[in-house]
Amino acid sequence: MWADTLLIVFISICTALLGEGLTWLMVYRTEKYQKLKAEVEKQSKKLEKRKETHGDSLDKQHKKKIEREEERLKNNNRDLSFVKMKSMFAIGFAFTALLSMFNSIFDGRVVARLPFLPLTWIQGLSHRNLPGEDYYDCSFIFLYILCTMSIRQNIQKLLGFAPSRAASKQGNSLFGPTPGQFK
Amino acid sequence: MCKSSNTMNKKEEKTLTPKKSVWIRAVTANSEWPDKEEFLDVIYWARQAIGILLGIIWGLLPLKGFLGLVLFAVINAGAVYLYSSNFQNVDEDEFGGAWELTKEGFMTSFAGFLVTWIIIYSGLYYEIDRVAS
């Protein structure tokens, strides 16, 4: 049991590193991305500060200024998402292939025993391709998803690839908000 | 000359002393947090550590069922709330309210907790549990 679970943790560390490495090669190191990211962060912080100081004021001029800045930020965020999108698709395809390979390796194999009974709508995932009706048995895919959820995000934060909180708070990114950057 | 260098040194000291390392400020009560991001980072990483630690303890005991999940959520959220409002005495509104602090890194910590809990529980009690069920 130890061997399977630790192997899955190892696989998800490797895939997370591979994913970040590929994204670095295709996106993070490009000048366009770095420029846009710096711009978005600067604008988000500026906007947040402006909202804090003039948030409650009914001054039309301030409101207009805020709206204009929001619009600019939105456009920059959209550009940033487009820069990311190309590589995201490439990585998505590569990872789907990898995942189906691992799925076939672990097909029908109970990799762990859950200490709790998962909710009915999660059982489809936690008991995927497993024989029997014992829903405490855990499939590869469930443990892999959990590992990825925790490891990928932490690796992103450690390497400083996650967008800052100010930027994600202002949202508008196509890929949704992500937690802030570790300095 | 000497006097001016002395005053320079004093000035430097003055600017350097308030900037203690994040580690020291994190374990010192009522620290100053001029950069909000730093404090949120401390909360984030503390949460990850709590998640993994609780996962190991729950797995070793072993704690089972819904109770384990609820206890984790209560301890995790409670510890962060006590740390920020009682130990560090920060103004929650500066960080967007208590909710912002409570949810900072919660899902990642929950995933980390589940992984360690499942791995240790499976490793130690798989056979016993399977036979019993």
Side-chain angles (χ1 to χ4, degrees), chain A residues 65-159:
Chain A
K65 257 188 190 170
I66 288 177
E67 268 171 25
R68 220 179 300 143
E69 268 177 31
E70 267 179 345
E71 193 61 35
R72 248 176 51 200
L73 183 63
K74 222 186 219 172
N75 288 339
N76 276 339
N77 254 327
R78 204 188 47 212
D79 292 346
L80 197 64
S81 303
F82 274 121
V83 171
K84 274 186 188 170
M85 197 134 76
K86 215 170 49 184
S87 78
M88 289 288 177
F89 276 124
I91 291 167
F93 279 121
F95 275 44
T96 316
L98 261 180
L99 197 64
S100 64
M101 185 189 86
F102 289 129
N103 250 334
S104 60
I105 291 173
F106 287 98
D107 193 35
R109 199 148 116 198
V110 178
V111 297
R113 183 87 179 154
L114 296 175
F116 56 92
L117 190 64
L119 299 171
T120 344
W121 52 277
I122 296 178
Q123 281 172 5
L125 205 64
S126 70
H127 204 71
R128 179 154 294 188
N129 292 338
L130 293 185
E133 296 282 297
D134 190 350
Y135 289 106
Y136 284 97
D137 285 343
C138 176
S139 67
F140 159 79
I141 194 76
F142 185 63
L143 193 59
Y144 177 76
I145 288 173
L146 283 178
C147 283
T148 308
M149 263 171 79
S150 104
I151 291 166
R152 184 132 199 225
Q153 204 136 59
N154 284 332
I155 284 180
Q156 266 188 349
K157 241 169 125 53
L158 272 175
L159 298 178

Side-chain angles (χ1 to χ4, degrees), chain B residues 57-94:
Chain B
I57 298 170
W58 275 206
L60 289 173
L61 281 175
L63 206 64
K64 283 164 72 175
F66 192 59
L67 178 74
L69 296 170
V70 173
L71 264 181
F72 162 78
V74 170
I75 293 176
N76 194 314
V80 168
Y81 182 76
L82 284 178
Y83 174 75
S84 52
S85 64
N86 282 27
F87 187 69
Q88 293 289 357
N89 277 317
V90 295
D91 181 11
E92 287 157 357
D93 291 332
E94 268 183 43

Side-chain angles (χ1 to χ4, degrees), chain A residues 17-57:
Chain A
L17 284 174
L18 187 72
E20 287 311 301
L22 282 175
T23 321
W24 180 82
L25 265 177
M26 294 161 84
V27 183
Y28 297 145
R29 70 182 184 137
T30 59
E31 206 177 310
K32 195 178 173 190
Y33 173 83
Q34 283 173 357
K35 227 167 120 183
L36 269 172
K37 197 188 171 199
E39 185 76 11
V40 164
E41 265 167 36
K42 210 175 83 186
Q43 279 180 348
S44 308
K45 276 187 182 159
K46 209 169 126 189
L47 191 63
E48 208 176 333
K49 234 179 214 172
R50 202 179 275 262
K51 272 185 179 170
E52 264 172 29
T53 44
H54 302 292
D56 300 325
S57 83

Side-chain angles (χ1 to χ4, degrees), chain A residues 1-2 5-6 9 48 52 110 112-116 134 137 142-143 146-147 149-150 153-154 157-158 165-166 179 181-183, chain B residues 35-37 40-41 44-45 48 63-65 69 104 107-108 111-112 114-115 117-124 126 129-130 133:
Chain A
M1 195 83 344
W2 286 108
T5 48
L6 294 179
V9 172
E48 208 176 333
E52 264 172 29
V110 178
R113 183 87 179 154
L114 296 175
F116 56 92
D134 190 350
D137 285 343
F142 185 63
L143 193 59
L146 283 178
C147 283
M149 263 171 79
S150 104
Q153 204 136 59
N154 284 332
K157 241 169 125 53
L158 272 175
R165 286 185 185 87
Q181 188 171 16
F182 185 63
K183 285 175 182 174
Chain B
D35 187 359
K36 282 190 236 166
E37 295 272 317
L40 289 173
D41 280 337
Y44 180 91
W45 290 111
Q48 307 315 308
L63 206 64
K64 283 164 72 175
L69 296 170
E104 177 63 37
M107 276 319 282
T108 323
L114 282 181
V115 168
W117 189 22
I118 292 169
I119 288 177
I120 292 183
Y121 179 79
S122 309
L124 296 177
Y126 178 74
D129 196 45
R130 218 177 150 81
S133 71

Side-chain angles (χ1 to χ4, degrees), chain A residues 158-178:
Chain A
L158 272 175
L159 298 178
F161 290 156
S164 77
R165 286 185 185 87
S168 41
K169 208 175 171 187
Q170 299 302 331
N172 304 328
S173 162
L174 268 179
F175 301 100
T178 21

